[in-house]
Amino acid sequence: LWWHRAAHLHVLPGQHMSHALPIPRRRQHGRTLLELMIAIAIGLVILLALGTVYVGTTRTNRQAGSVSRMSEDAAIAFSIMGGSLRMAGYSTPRALVLPGGALIGGVKRVAPDRNFTGAAVRGCDHGFVNAAATFDTLACQTADTTQPAAVAVRFEGDAFNTVPITVGGVVNPSDCLNQAVLAANATPSAVDPALTFRLIESRFTAKVGGSGTPELYCGGNGGNTTPPTFTPQPLMQFVDSVQLRYGVASDGTSRDVTHYASSDEVDALAGTLEDKWSRVVNLRVCVVMRSQGADQAGAGNYIDCDGNSVASPDSHARRSFTAFYALRNRSGFLKP
């Protein structure tokens, strides 16, 4: 239509439009379908590479965080147990009391010069069958070898080597649960039975608790119950297991470790129960820590307490940590 085409023409004044010329159309530019598909494919490859790097970095960071968390938890576990283990056998020497000794049957016997004497540690590789019994009557579990290890330690406590707990205006020493060991549970002194002192007893083990996670437990002789019940309470989570090996000296007076033994091997030594466990002068503690969350890459293997590479039984990562403690149970002991 000529009037439609003329609308697109500009006529200067004084000029006459003879006829309208068609306007040439501009050439359209774009991408072919093949080019678009190639661009999308390249973009997907780049996104896949970036996603792989992100997932790998996240996984590495998560694993590093789990290892760091397990290391920190192991340090806390060692700190909790170490406070009692280092004090095992401790007792303040009594003033004006000179220790005397004599050979009886070829064995050196030393008269006590302090309140607490005797074996300071008693352990079982598979737990105690009577965990609430008195120290001298503790017996090891032998029927079920899947039970976790347990160890009991004792020492003379005061307001300086334990957390002081004030009850009724009186400052008392405390056990591993920060329960006050009251005068009602005081122990007669080996120097003079008319005197008493506070004997601190703590019993450690690791087991699956009410939360469904493995936890470090301790039962102590503090509290208001007489006699004490040693009711275990959880101290911290994710302690998968505890292994104990006992550094044994050649006799009850030596301080040099000849070898490390299991509790069964210590029980197989000659002499009374007190003779056997009074030879323990060092304790090697290995804890296996478990990660809080499951590992996306799979738990894999870890080095256990015996130095073997073993597979983790579930999707959680595990690491073992070892510490050594010298015990203070070289105070001598009185024989009847």
Side-chain angles (χ1 to χ4, degrees), residues 154-292:
R154 57 182 182 173
F155 59 92
E156 180 180 355
D158 54 40
F160 301 99
N161 59 18
T162 65
V163 177
I165 304 296
T166 302
V167 178
V170 178
V171 178
N172 303 275
S174 60
D175 60 12
C176 59
L177 299 175
N178 288 346
Q179 299 175 133
V181 179
L182 305 176
N185 287 326
T187 304
S189 170
V191 176
D192 183 356
L195 303 175
T196 60
F197 70 102
R198 310 295 176 85
L199 182 65
I200 309 300
E201 293 190 44
S202 298
R203 301 172 184 182
F204 294 95
T205 190
K207 60 181 180 179
V208 176
S211 63
T213 59
E215 298 173 320
L216 176 66
Y217 276 77
C218 184
N221 64 331
N224 296 321
T225 57
T226 305
T229 59
F230 297 97
T231 303
Q233 298 292 334
L235 299 178
M236 66 175 300
Q237 287 183 299
F238 309 119
V239 180
D240 199 61
S241 64
V242 177
Q243 184 194 83
L244 301 118
R245 291 294 180 263
Y246 307 91
V248 179
S250 57
D251 55 43
T253 60
S254 174
R255 296 177 181 271
D256 298 326
V257 175
T258 60
H259 64 284
Y260 283 89
S262 65
S263 66
D264 291 340
E265 293 170 336
V266 176
D267 284 333
L269 297 173
T272 65
L273 188 68
E274 188 173 284
D275 290 334
K276 301 170 184 178
W277 287 93
S278 288
R279 290 175 57 179
V280 176
V281 296
N282 199 309
L283 194 60
R284 185 181 71 191
V285 182
C286 176
V287 296
V288 175
M289 307 302 300
R290 199 205 76 176
S291 63
Q292 182 175 1

Side-chain angles (χ1 to χ4, degrees), residues 38 41 73 94 115 244:
I38 293 174
D73 288 348
R94 299 289 298 172
N115 293 322
L244 301 118

